[in-house]
Amino acid sequence: MRALAAALALLLAACGDTRVSDPQTGVSLRLPEDWQAQTGLMGMALWTRPRDGTCAQTQVSVTRLPPAPVGIDDDTLLDDRIRRLAYNSHDVEVIERGGLRAELRHRQGSSAQHLLLRVHRYEDALDLVLAAADPACFDEVRGTLQRVAASYRPGR
């Protein structure tokens, strides 16, 4: 198992990925070398996107929120996060969901997004990782979005 972890670390290093962190919350993501990051943007702990902008709206963000109410189960929590995310949206389509993860599409006015949502639940906080792109090119960037979202670390 250690050999596999070491090989994965070498592979990520060879790909030029860099771990970026928010100094306030400590949350971090591993980004491809052609991505940029900002912290503290519009309430997000971390906001990242490709520098070249080849696929519109491609981004991964981490937002830290207060903890979920005591006693709320994971399904109800995910439903609540999807509902809040799609509050001003129309044509909301939940493609897949399970545990604290979902894939969905939605529109806000003339803007559409295809996104992956991951909810990370802790006793003292709730971290939302959102990986999104324009639906027309989502399949093209899906692997990168999944890899960046999966690299999330809470910074605890």
Side-chain angles (χ1 to χ4, degrees):
M1 186 59 108
R2 286 186 186 180
L4 179 61
L8 181 58
L10 285 172
L11 177 62
L12 288 175
C15 293
D17 287 358
T18 303
R19 184 159 292 280
V20 296
S21 301
D22 171 46
Q24 185 175 356
T25 62
V27 299
S28 68
L29 295 170
R30 185 170 290 283
L31 304 180
E33 67 179 33
D34 62 337
W35 280 48
Q36 60 188 7
Q38 286 184 272
T39 59
L41 181 68
M42 298 186 307
M44 292 177 275
L46 198 53
W47 180 75
T48 67
R49 67 181 179 88
R51 283 189 184 92
D52 65 9
T54 54
C55 179
Q57 303 177 33
T58 300
Q59 60 187 314
V60 178
S61 64
V62 181
T63 304
R64 170 136 315 156
L65 300 171
V70 175
I72 189 171
D73 63 58
D74 288 352
D75 283 339
T76 304
L77 177 59
L78 184 61
D79 286 341
D80 177 67
R81 293 290 84 190
I82 291 170
R83 183 180 50 80
R84 289 173 186 253
L85 179 70
Y87 175 71
N88 288 325
S89 299
H90 57 280
D91 299 333
V92 177
E93 176 188 3
V94 177
I95 298 163
E96 186 177 331
R97 59 170 292 144
L100 287 172
R101 296 179 184 196
E103 179 176 342
L104 56 139
R105 287 188 199 107
H106 71 107
R107 297 186 67 78
Q108 288 183 328
S110 62
S111 178
Q113 279 190 323
H114 189 140
L115 53 94
L116 305 170
L117 169 67
R118 293 176 179 220
V119 179
H120 298 273
R121 183 181 201 167
Y122 305 103
E123 190 173 296
D124 61 342
L126 195 64
D127 285 351
L128 304 179
V129 179
L130 192 63
D134 184 282
C137 60
F138 183 82
D139 287 338
E140 176 185 331
V141 297
R142 176 190 287 274
T144 301
L145 290 173
Q146 288 174 323
R147 188 181 66 189
V148 172
S151 75
Y152 157 85
R153 296 293 174 266
R156 306 194 162 309

